[in-house]
Amino acid sequence: MERKTILSLIIILMFAALLTGLLNLDILQGAKFRKLSDSNSIRLIPQFGSRGNILDRNGEVIINNRISYDVMILPQELNRLDQLLIRLSRILGVELAELKASFKKNFISSSVPVTVIRNINVNKAILIGEYRAEEPSVIITPKPLRSYPYGALASHVAGYINQIDRWRLTKLEDYGYKTKDIVGFGGVEEKYDYYLRQEEGGISVEVNHRGKFTRILGFQAPRNGKDVQLTVDLKIQKIVEDCMNGRRGSAILMDPRDGQILAMASYPNFNPSVFVNNRSSLISGLFNNPAAPLFNRAISSSYPPASVFKIVVSSAALELKKINLSTSFLCQGSTMVGARRFSCWDTHGSQDILGAIAHSCDIFFYKSGLLTGAQNIHDYALKLGLARNVGFELPYETGGFIPSPLWRKINKFQSWFDGDTANLAIGQGDCLVTPLQAANMMAVFANGGYLTSPYIVKAVGGLDVSAKKKKLIPVNLKKSTLDTVAKGLRKVVSDEKGTGNALSSLAVPVAGKTGTAQVSRGANHAWFAGFFPFDKPKFVICIFLENGVSGHAASIVAKKIIEAMNNQGLI
Amino acid sequence: MNKSFFRILILALIIATLGVLSIYSSTYQKQGAWQDIYLRQMLWLIIGLVCFFLISGFNYRKLWDANYFIYGAALFFLFLVFMLGIVRLGAQRWLRFAGFNFQPSEFAKLAIIIFLARYFSRKSVNDTSLMSGKFGIFQGIILPLIFVSIPMLLIIDQPDLGSGLMLMLVFICLLYLTDVRLRYIFILISALALPLPFLWNFLHDYQKQRLLVFLNPNIDPLGAGYTIIQSRIAIGSGGFFGRGWLSGTQSQLYFLPESHTDFIFATFSEQWGFFGSCLLILMYYLIIRQGLVIAQRTQDAFGRLLAYGISLLLAIQVFINIAMNMGLAPVVGLPLPLMSYGGSSMLVTFIALGILVNIDRTRNVF
């Protein structure tokens, strides 16, 4: 080929190479370059919505938000940045070194605004707002912070909020959760976090190569989270917390007709605002405290039910016709079960079932229990909602435990003896019951034989969700059984020698059962579970005092609560 | 006026107008002195067109006679730059004259081509065949090399490595087109290639950086690599149809340096996309092809070599500049003819195109 032809060919190839290069950049990699070009010149300034409020059943605020102001800077070239920080330090009255350090610490990338100082005084925020007119790269971001106007009230029901941890993040990534998101822990904040969560909005602005703001490109409004309305009554909650007065244990007030929780308290409690204010020493104090203040003792702890369990035995015995209204046993302070002596806390003489419940006679129940048989007791315990989770909305509920001969055999390879039945009959031994289960069990006798499905959230974002939650599960107990036990529970209070007699002075007729659970170490636990007003029960109450010494103490607390409620016309 | 005149005129005018539009769009939002640049470019365009018309009527054979004068003048001005020059962006390439900057290296390119065209189209007195076929290595390679090297080295010293190396490339290509024996050309190429690694040390630091960064722009993304990265982003973000005139964020927001000079192609490409850029490349190719066609149908050896030389000049500059914009060649500071802002380049290009047209016109000469 001639030289000139070769040259022409080479020139054609050169231009073809250029076209190929163009093809590569524009078509094959075009999207990637478009993205890079945009990220060069576009910055996103986030704007925050506020988390949903937590309201009580009447719409009163329990937990809401308050506005705090953060100062953010769009990253730009170094000498302008220095000038900016100097101006800011003068306006804010903060050391320049501190601003510089916080800029460095919070710097993520040159395309993300950097927070230099959080939660400034609103007057300073206004001053900086004025400065913005000449320096649009400075941004005041209003940031809603969780606010707790009642401090530690209902802290376990609500829970606290904090930055998301890794474990949760891996599970929730697909639902739009990102690192550094604030999520709820424990209580309603955790269970309903998806609804309470706010959505970030923002402004997108254009910057030049020096990071200097040139113009606004677009805006998306942030969205507030949905409010969650609880079934809790703020007034009743306040009364309950006042009367518990910081004593270790828990208190529950529930409506037996549909399972709404009107108040739930657990002690020791905590003030959730330490997490908002990031008081790290206090926070670690909470986590390291052996008394476990973050634990909701109403649902997450289980204890031996003691005499409260006698209700189960009564129901089982009556239902299975092992005893009837006229059956009576003689209590002389102790009895022999097998080769061992089992004692009663007092000498009661001869009693029928009503008296036995009222005076909490152990002998009667040893005998009834032995007649009924441990497996039957176990089965009726399950019927009354024990030994399994109630299925409550708040997280970390535990299911308690009721032993049975079968369980013993399978798990411990031991036989079941009569002594075990006797222990079971008075609610000692391996039985464990949570205060919520006790309350639910009480509800059966308050509402005519139905197990409720307790719930605590009434509405989300204005939409009533309670209809789905009201579940009444019939318990197959004969009306006579229910009546008898209910009468016995009433007698606990009305009878002079009833263990709950302290409550008789109230204007409201109360029925219930005390319990004193023996523990291997320390003082006994104290139970009181009951319902009122007896004629038409509207409330179930369950008080549990850890190491409260005797059931009497729990009944006193219950008395205080009911009295206060009556005075405030809440009954 | 023959067809090639109109073809070249129209194509060059379109390209130059696109250049003005691109310069306008990349500078209209910037403050201060930037505002006038597109107006200046339009001025140069008009002057260029005038020169084009004039030169196309000017018998190119007169260049044969004026050769030594032209060559000498080019050398003189290059020396002047060497001595006096004003410092701009670290390079002494301009001479300030009557309020305008003019770049002698651009004129020198044309001068060297004219020189080479004459040198290799000398005919022997005995017969009318070209002497170049009988050149030995001295006459064929070494002597012209000396004549090319002097201005080339002055240019490289400015420092303008790009133009200098481009000259060498044009020289080799022209050599290829003459009747000089291939053997000699290979010797020349090897002689040039061998000391290259050694010559690395003579490079300025920034030139070394540019070569390293050409191989991998990400080793210095905010320094030497910045330009290549931003240029590729600008071109790539155009997509198929481009972002639209006046909507090029890379060029308007200062992300792309030299967006009105060496990287004008990227500026154009960001706005007009694959579609527009292909058309632009096509137009350049058509001009060059026209030049090659003119060269091939010219019977006069001088005219032929001159036409080839001018076509090569355009082709190589266009190729290197666009390749540089795309990251396919190291950044060497070569302007894009007809589009880059710069009076000297625009003038020289139009003069060269005028000569091309004239060659085509006065074909029948013996």
Side-chain angles (χ1 to χ4, degrees):
Chain A
M1 259 204 291
E2 290 204 36
R3 291 189 189 187
K4 56 181 190 234
T5 326
I6 295 182
L7 194 75
S8 309
L9 223 58
I10 293 179
I11 291 182
I12 292 181
L13 282 175
M14 272 164 41
F15 278 79
L18 288 181
L19 286 177
T20 314
L22 208 57
L23 190 73
N24 172 35
L25 287 180
D26 267 329
I27 309 293
L28 297 178
Q29 297 190 52
K32 160 185 141 189
F33 283 113
R34 174 64 72 108
K35 208 158 149 238
L36 284 174
S37 166
D38 284 343
S39 71
N40 261 346
S41 60
I42 298 181
R43 301 282 178 268
L44 228 42
I45 301 171
Q47 287 201 331
F48 304 95
S50 46
R51 201 170 161 84
N53 299 325
I54 296 186
L55 311 168
D56 90 329
R57 67 185 296 120
N58 300 317
E60 305 262 334
V61 161
I62 303 180
I63 295 178
N64 60 2
N65 304 287
R66 62 178 173 88
I67 302 260
S68 74
Y69 296 96
D70 290 355
V71 179
M72 289 179 149
I73 297 185
L74 283 176
Q76 48 197 271
E77 54 162 15
L78 238 37
N79 54 349
R80 300 202 73 235
L81 184 66
D82 283 339
Q83 283 176 23
L84 206 63
L85 289 177
I86 291 175
R87 276 300 289 275
L88 282 179
S89 86
R90 250 187 267 147
I91 298 177
L92 291 168
V94 172
E95 288 286 325
L96 178 62
E98 202 181 305
L99 283 181
K100 279 193 177 171
S102 109
F103 183 88
K104 247 201 193 146
K105 191 172 102 153
N106 294 329
F107 184 83
I108 301 173
S109 88
S110 61
S111 54
V112 175
V114 184
T115 312
V116 284
I117 186 165
R118 286 183 211 278
N119 207 359
I120 58 173
N121 185 301
V122 68
N123 294 327
K124 301 250 177 73
I126 295 176
L127 283 175
I128 297 191
E130 290 177 303
Y131 176 47
R132 258 208 93 189
E134 55 180 277
E135 190 50 72
S137 306
V138 175
I139 304 153
I140 301 281
T141 315
K143 208 142 175 240
L145 286 181
R146 213 70 167 136
S147 156
Y148 299 92
Y150 297 103
L153 189 81
S155 48
H156 289 98
V157 167
Y160 62 92
I161 57 168
N162 205 359
Q163 255 186 30
I164 192 168
D165 59 316
R166 258 203 90 75
W167 178 80
R168 261 167 247 261
L169 187 58
T170 53
K171 305 255 171 193
L172 295 172
E173 248 174 339
D174 294 331
Y175 294 91
Y177 285 75
K178 305 190 295 290
T179 24
K180 290 191 185 273
D181 271 359
I182 303 286
V183 292
F185 289 81
V188 172
E189 297 264 25
E190 179 172 326
K191 212 49 186 286
Y192 285 83
D193 186 77
Y194 191 70
Y195 301 96
L196 287 167
R197 242 163 102 70
Q198 71 274 34
E199 223 173 67
E200 238 177 58
I203 308 180
S204 83
V205 299
E206 190 182 76
V207 298
N208 71 3
H209 73 312
R210 294 221 160 105
K212 187 160 180 295
F213 170 95
T214 49
R215 61 182 173 141
I216 295 183
L217 294 170
F219 170 70
Q220 176 160 353
R223 198 178 53 79
N224 287 345
K226 298 201 169 118
D227 288 346
V228 170
Q229 188 173 27
L230 305 178
T231 57
V232 169
D233 189 324
L234 195 57
K235 296 194 215 78
I236 300 180
Q237 183 80 23
K238 277 199 197 140
I239 294 172
V240 167
E241 298 218 5
D242 284 339
C243 295
M244 282 293 280
N245 206 14
R247 303 243 288 266
R248 264 211 214 179
S250 59
I252 302 177
L253 237 87
M254 190 174 93
D255 187 333
R257 297 168 294 180
D258 48 22
Q260 290 186 44
I261 300 287
L262 297 157
M264 185 186 270
S266 165
Y267 289 89
N269 65 0
F270 61 98
N271 191 332
S273 55
V274 301
F275 291 93
V276 172
N277 300 329
N278 213 11
R279 311 284 303 277
S280 47
S281 55
L282 291 175
I283 293 174
S284 54
L286 282 176
F287 287 120
N288 295 326
N289 189 338
L294 294 169
F295 230 56
N296 186 348
R297 284 168 159 80
I299 59 176
S300 309
S301 306
S302 51
Y303 311 92
S307 306
V308 177
F309 196 72
K310 289 175 184 163
I311 300 175
V312 176
V313 185
S314 317
S315 314
L318 284 169
E319 194 69 14
L320 293 169
K321 299 206 176 90
K322 305 292 184 183
I323 61 171
N324 57 33
L325 272 169
S326 42
T327 320
S328 85
F329 293 103
L330 182 60
C331 169
Q332 286 177 312
S334 69
T335 184
M336 294 300 286
V337 177
R340 273 195 67 190
R341 181 162 288 274
F342 278 73
S343 39
C344 179
W345 64 278
D346 197 10
T347 315
H348 297 107
S350 182
Q351 298 177 102
D352 64 356
I353 176 92
L354 293 177
I357 296 177
H359 309 130
S360 197
C361 174
D362 296 336
I363 305 287
F364 188 95
F365 287 100
Y366 291 143
K367 301 236 163 104
S368 311
L370 286 166
L371 280 174
T372 316
Q375 193 63 43
N376 284 328
I377 297 178
H378 171 265
D379 294 342
Y380 271 82
L382 262 57
K383 260 201 197 172
L384 285 167
L386 301 182
R388 61 173 190 276
N389 280 29
V390 156
F392 189 52
E393 294 188 281
L394 296 186
Y396 311 120
E397 191 199 347
T398 184
F401 177 72
I402 305 290
S404 74
L406 190 60
W407 165 81
R408 256 278 172 92
K409 212 38 176 278
I410 295 177
N411 284 287
K412 288 195 176 175
F413 307 117
Q414 286 168 1
S415 310
W416 184 273
F417 299 101
D418 283 345
D420 299 313
T421 311
N423 261 334
L424 180 62
I426 59 163
Q428 295 286 162
D430 292 313
C431 313
L432 290 172
V433 165
T434 70
L436 186 61
Q437 285 169 334
N440 206 11
M441 186 169 69
M442 261 316 144
V444 174
F445 300 97
N447 61 24
Y450 295 91
L451 267 179
T452 70
S453 185
Y455 63 99
I456 200 163
V457 169
K458 193 164 127 170
V460 175
L463 277 175
D464 196 341
V465 293
S466 55
K468 278 209 273 178
K469 304 197 187 177
K470 285 188 216 195
K471 253 192 302 185
L472 293 173
I473 308 154
V475 178
N476 287 329
L477 291 174
K478 291 195 277 245
K479 188 154 185 344
S480 56
T481 314
L482 292 168
D483 281 341
T484 311
V485 176
K487 278 208 204 109
L489 292 172
R490 178 65 186 131
K491 210 158 173 219
V492 169
V493 171
S494 60
D495 189 304
E496 287 182 336
K497 296 217 218 104
T499 52
N501 188 244
L503 290 136
S504 59
S505 58
L506 290 169
V508 183
V510 181
K513 185 78 191 72
T514 58
T516 308
Q518 281 162 339
V519 260
S520 45
R521 265 187 307 177
N524 298 333
H525 296 320
W527 284 95
F528 179 79
F531 54 94
F532 61 95
F534 179 66
D535 35 329
K536 256 191 156 221
K538 284 208 295 186
F539 300 95
V540 165
I541 185 168
C542 179
I543 305 287
F544 178 80
L545 298 173
E546 252 179 56
N547 306 119
V549 175
S550 82
H552 180 76
S555 65
I556 297 293
V557 175
K559 175 179 178 185
K560 285 207 200 119
I561 293 175
I562 301 174
E563 195 168 24
M565 278 174 71
N566 198 21
N567 291 341
Q568 291 190 24
L570 293 166
I571 299 187
Chain B
M1 307 280 162
N2 48 11
K3 274 194 289 185
S4 64
F5 173 80
F6 285 110
R7 279 202 198 129
I8 291 182
L9 174 65
I10 305 264
L11 285 168
L13 195 56
I14 294 177
I15 294 178
T17 311
L18 288 175
V20 171
L21 288 177
S22 299
I23 292 176
Y24 177 72
S25 96
S26 94
T27 59
Y28 86 113
Q29 279 197 334
K30 301 177 183 171
Q31 283 93 356
W34 291 106
Q35 298 282 349
D36 299 332
I37 288 185
Y38 78 100
L39 289 169
R40 289 178 143 229
Q41 183 77 346
M42 283 209 299
L43 178 65
W44 287 116
L45 175 54
I46 293 171
I47 297 179
L49 281 173
V50 167
C51 289
F52 177 75
F53 280 110
L54 286 177
I55 304 276
S56 61
F58 179 82
N59 187 353
Y60 75 94
R61 292 222 50 116
K62 300 215 177 96
L63 291 172
W64 173 284
D65 305 321
N67 178 35
Y68 294 112
F69 174 70
I70 296 173
Y71 182 80
L75 267 186
F76 170 70
F77 281 111
L78 283 175
F79 260 119
L80 219 52
V81 167
F82 185 67
M83 303 293 201
L84 304 175
I86 58 171
V87 180
R88 255 206 205 185
L89 286 176
Q92 288 164 279
R93 302 185 199 178
W94 286 266
L95 284 177
R96 215 169 162 76
F97 186 74
F100 291 103
N101 293 330
F102 99 103
Q103 220 179 339
S105 54
E106 295 290 327
F107 293 97
K109 289 175 193 171
L110 199 53
I112 292 175
I113 289 180
I114 296 174
F115 175 85
L116 287 174
R118 168 172 167 163
Y119 184 88
F120 284 105
S121 57
R122 279 179 299 157
K123 300 207 167 85
S124 68
V125 246
N126 301 328
D127 54 47
T128 52
S129 69
L130 286 172
M131 284 170 70
S132 57
K134 304 199 198 78
F135 279 164
I137 193 161
F138 176 74
Q139 275 192 307
I141 306 289
I142 299 183
L143 196 56
L145 183 63
I146 296 174
F147 277 101
V148 169
S149 303
I150 300 174
M152 190 180 94
L153 287 171
L154 281 172
I155 290 175
I156 291 184
D157 191 69
Q158 281 181 348
D160 189 352
L161 195 55
S163 298
L165 289 180
M166 194 208 71
L167 276 173
M168 183 55 70
L169 218 50
V170 173
F171 173 52
I172 295 175
C173 291
L174 268 183
L175 218 47
Y176 182 68
L177 285 168
T178 64
D179 286 334
V180 170
R181 283 181 209 146
L182 271 177
R183 234 185 304 158
Y184 298 150
I185 300 178
F186 283 131
I187 295 175
L188 172 66
I189 293 179
S190 10
L192 288 174
L194 279 173
L196 273 184
F198 173 68
L199 291 175
W200 173 265
N201 297 316
F202 285 94
L203 284 177
H204 291 231
D205 278 337
Y206 80 90
Q207 287 166 332
K208 287 186 198 171
Q209 268 292 79
R210 277 186 178 171
L211 282 173
L212 288 173
V213 137
F214 160 64
L215 296 169
N216 180 10
N218 286 310
I219 60 172
D220 192 3
L222 290 175
Y226 180 74
T227 322
I228 300 185
I229 295 174
Q230 294 303 326
S231 174
R232 285 170 63 104
I233 291 178
I235 296 177
S237 67
F240 192 80
F241 283 110
R243 297 193 92 145
W245 188 44
L246 298 183
S247 300
T249 56
Q250 289 286 99
S251 49
Q252 284 172 3
L253 296 173
Y254 296 92
F255 285 104
L256 182 61
E258 302 292 329
S259 61
H260 59 303
T261 53
D262 296 344
F263 286 89
I264 189 92
F265 177 76
T267 307
F268 176 83
S269 183
E270 182 184 25
Q271 296 171 38
W272 301 101
F274 180 73
F275 188 65
S277 310
C278 277
L279 283 181
L280 183 68
I281 293 179
L282 188 66
M283 282 195 278
Y284 272 118
Y285 175 70
L286 287 175
I287 294 186
I288 292 163
R289 189 169 160 278
Q290 187 66 35
L292 292 175
V293 159
I294 290 176
Q296 278 165 357
R297 63 186 182 202
T298 304
Q299 286 150 347
D300 171 33
F302 176 59
R304 191 177 328 127
L305 277 177
L306 200 51
Y308 271 129
I310 291 175
S311 308
L312 281 170
L313 184 68
L314 272 177
I316 292 177
Q317 270 196 259
V318 167
F319 176 74
I320 293 184
N321 180 285
I322 296 184
M324 177 175 94
N325 272 232
M326 290 201 263
L328 295 170
V331 175
V332 285
L334 268 182
L336 188 60
L338 296 176
M339 279 192 88
S340 284
Y341 171 70
S344 311
S345 167
M346 176 83 90
L347 264 185
V348 168
T349 311
F350 269 115
I351 292 174
L353 289 175
I355 298 176
L356 212 52
V357 167
N358 183 269
I359 294 172
D360 198 37
R361 201 182 288 172
T362 49
R363 256 188 276 168
N364 297 316
V365 168
F366 30 181

